[in-house]
Amino acid sequence: MGSGKRMTFGKAGEATLSQWMADNAQVCWIERSEPWDLESQVISQLDLPLNLDQNRHNAFHSRLKVIRAQARQRARELPISS
């Protein structure tokens, strides 16, 4: 986010997102002295449509950039809630 401001979903939205992640997201890791090498390999070999970094080869990349920019603009226009 170029403006330097951090956007969030507000307290209730963040709680909803955290619960969704607990129910649906999976995380794993491998310790590597130079993890960026493995990251580049994984990104080039897997279909990771929501990852923009190093992923221009994905057919969804340009569309996702537009969608994210539109979402950021819409979020900036919404009233701030607690």
Side-chain angles (χ1 to χ4, degrees):
M1 288 175 266
S3 67
K5 293 182 181 178
R6 181 174 175 201
M7 288 191 269
T8 70
F9 294 105
K11 194 172 191 175
E14 290 290 333
T16 300
L17 177 58
S18 292
Q19 185 60 54
W20 182 92
M21 289 171 59
D23 294 341
N24 297 284
Q26 296 181 7
V27 177
C28 67
W29 63 89
I30 300 171
E31 290 187 35
R32 302 284 292 247
S33 60
E34 297 178 344
W36 47 87
D37 291 333
L38 180 60
E39 178 186 23
S40 294
Q41 286 179 328
V42 169
I43 291 171
S44 71
Q45 294 175 11
L46 298 177
D47 183 22
L48 305 167
L50 299 181
N51 183 28
L52 291 177
D53 186 42
Q54 302 179 42
N55 205 16
R56 291 188 191 280
H57 65 276
N58 190 287
F60 188 55
H61 185 274
S62 60
R63 179 72 182 124
L64 180 59
K65 282 184 74 169
V66 170
I67 291 169
R68 286 185 179 176
Q70 291 170 340
R72 278 191 301 275
Q73 183 58 41
R74 171 88 172 105
R76 287 186 185 107
E77 294 168 358
L78 294 172
I80 296 173
S81 64
S82 56

